[in-house]
Amino acid sequence: MGPDELVRLSLAASRYYRDGKSRVEIADELGISRFKVARMLEKAQEVGIVRIEIDTPTAVDLELSAGLRSKFGLNRAFAVATPSDSSEVVQDALGRVAADLLQEIVTSDDLLGLTAGRTLDAMTRHLTRLPYCDVVALGGVAGPVEEHGVEIIRRVGQVSGGRTYPIFAPLFVASADAARALRSDRGIADAYARFTRVTIGVVAVGSWNPPASQLFDAANEAGIAQALIAEGAVGEVGATLFDRHGRIISSIDDRSMAITAEQLRAIPEVIAVAGGEAKTDAVGAAIESGLVKSLVTDVHLARCLMERD
């Protein structure tokens, strides 16, 4: 290739990629057709005059994320590479990406709903800005103080500046009568009344086999966890249990203080934030159940999901 052609290719590429000119504008400048410009731009890439680099701003595996989105029909999917597979490192990495996502998509028109858990606790620690919006708990209290829904709602509300609607009640109670009585409490009723208005939900996914769930711990204390596993329970979102194929198990619905499966499915965007290979069945089933529409996970769990039948 002679110097004249090199200069012309470089000029066309510079005008197009650096200056933002259209093919028609470049064609007029060079006195050639726009089809010739298109061929010149292709050749500029072939000979190395133009080199395109895609720099992912976070540790997100683009191909794996795209694969998850395609396979499961998700709105959004993020497979996050982590420096180690320790629980704390994975939770922090997923929490950071989930926080960045919320800061990108939440608007002042949204009502934000959240469950609880260690990964969502990590997410709140990375949140630095949100538009003014109200925040509601999607379930009652379970787990350590720093990880339960009341504290998570409080932190997110501090960032958004909106009103918060916590649920000051256990996620799982002793009887259906106790649950009905608690739901009549004014503060709890205020939160429940907003379930149908939530536009963006952020949820943890609990695993029952192997157990990694605050709800499992509560059910185990009540002596019913093994019976629920015998029914096929592999995981939960909020307090909604499901089997490996995403079928809802309703055995404890009348004793749970949380949003229902139907209400969860009606939320336009529900983002599950969960990591660790041990949660493969639980996360896969949560997606199949239709309870979640987007996923933030780690690359190891993502690969297991891609191989899951």
Side-chain angles (χ1 to χ4, degrees):
M1 188 181 301
D4 182 58
E5 186 175 5
L6 281 172
V7 168
R8 287 167 65 82
L9 290 178
S10 298
L11 178 60
S14 177
R15 290 285 190 268
Y16 185 75
Y17 291 105
R18 190 186 63 191
D19 302 335
K21 299 291 185 181
S22 69
R23 289 180 175 86
V24 172
E25 290 173 316
I26 299 169
D28 290 342
E29 179 181 347
L30 298 180
I32 57 179
S33 73
R34 60 187 175 90
F35 302 107
K36 174 67 172 176
V37 172
R39 290 194 294 272
M40 291 172 70
L41 294 174
E42 290 176 1
K43 190 167 186 178
Q45 288 190 50
E46 291 173 4
V47 300
I49 292 173
V50 172
R51 293 180 297 277
I52 297 175
E53 296 182 359
I54 299 174
D55 184 17
T56 307
T58 63
V60 174
D61 185 314
L62 297 180
E63 293 298 325
L64 193 50
S65 299
L68 285 173
R69 184 177 178 183
S70 176
K71 178 175 180 176
F72 297 105
L74 296 166
N75 292 341
R76 299 176 172 93
F78 303 90
V80 183
T82 61
S84 84
D85 58 0
S86 76
S87 297
E88 294 78 8
V89 170
V90 171
Q91 289 156 11
D92 185 72
L94 301 190
R96 183 185 298 274
V97 172
D100 288 345
L101 176 60
L102 286 188
Q103 290 170 166
E104 178 183 0
I105 68 174
V106 173
T107 73
S108 57
D109 294 325
D110 287 312
L111 173 58
L112 189 57
L114 300 104
T115 64
R118 289 182 288 272
T119 310
L120 297 197
D121 171 60
M123 179 193 76
T124 65
R125 300 179 189 279
H126 290 292
L127 274 177
T128 58
R129 56 179 173 79
L130 282 174
Y132 181 91
C133 65
D134 294 341
V135 186
V136 61
L138 298 181
V141 175
V145 172
E146 67 275 10
E147 299 166 6
H148 67 50
V150 172
E151 179 63 12
I152 285 173
I153 294 300
R154 183 190 68 80
R155 289 198 208 121
V156 177
Q158 283 184 327
V159 177
S160 75
R163 293 189 64 182
T164 58
Y165 298 90
I167 295 178
F168 290 103
L171 180 61
F172 176 69
V173 297
S175 68
D177 288 340
R180 279 193 295 271
L182 285 168
R183 293 183 196 118
S184 67
D185 173 84
R186 181 176 178 180
I188 294 173
D190 280 348
Y192 264 67
R194 281 160 178 80
F195 287 167
T196 57
R197 308 180 203 171
V198 174
T199 54
I200 297 177
V202 186
V203 300
V205 179
S207 172
W208 280 56
N209 192 14
S213 158
Q214 295 169 349
L215 182 60
F216 172 88
D217 294 340
N220 200 38
E221 288 181 12
I224 64 171
Q226 295 307 314
L228 291 168
I229 289 176
E231 286 189 53
V234 299
E236 101 277 334
V237 170
T240 297
L241 293 170
F242 41 77
D243 69 12
R244 191 180 189 278
H245 303 289
R247 290 186 288 261
I248 302 301
I249 297 171
S250 58
S251 303
I252 62 169
D253 287 0
D254 61 350
R255 299 171 61 182
S256 301
M257 299 295 299
I259 192 169
T260 67
E262 292 75 16
Q263 290 168 329
L264 262 175
R265 288 186 178 124
I267 298 174
E269 176 64 293
V270 178
I271 305 161
V273 188
E277 291 182 36
K279 287 193 173 183
T280 299
D281 273 348
V283 173
I287 295 170
E288 290 186 42
S289 73
L291 298 173
V292 303
K293 298 177 175 69
S294 292
L295 177 65
V296 178
T297 191
D298 64 277
V299 293
H300 303 294
L301 193 154
R303 292 188 184 111
C304 291
L305 287 174
M306 294 298 292
E307 296 171 358
R308 185 176 183 266
D309 295 330

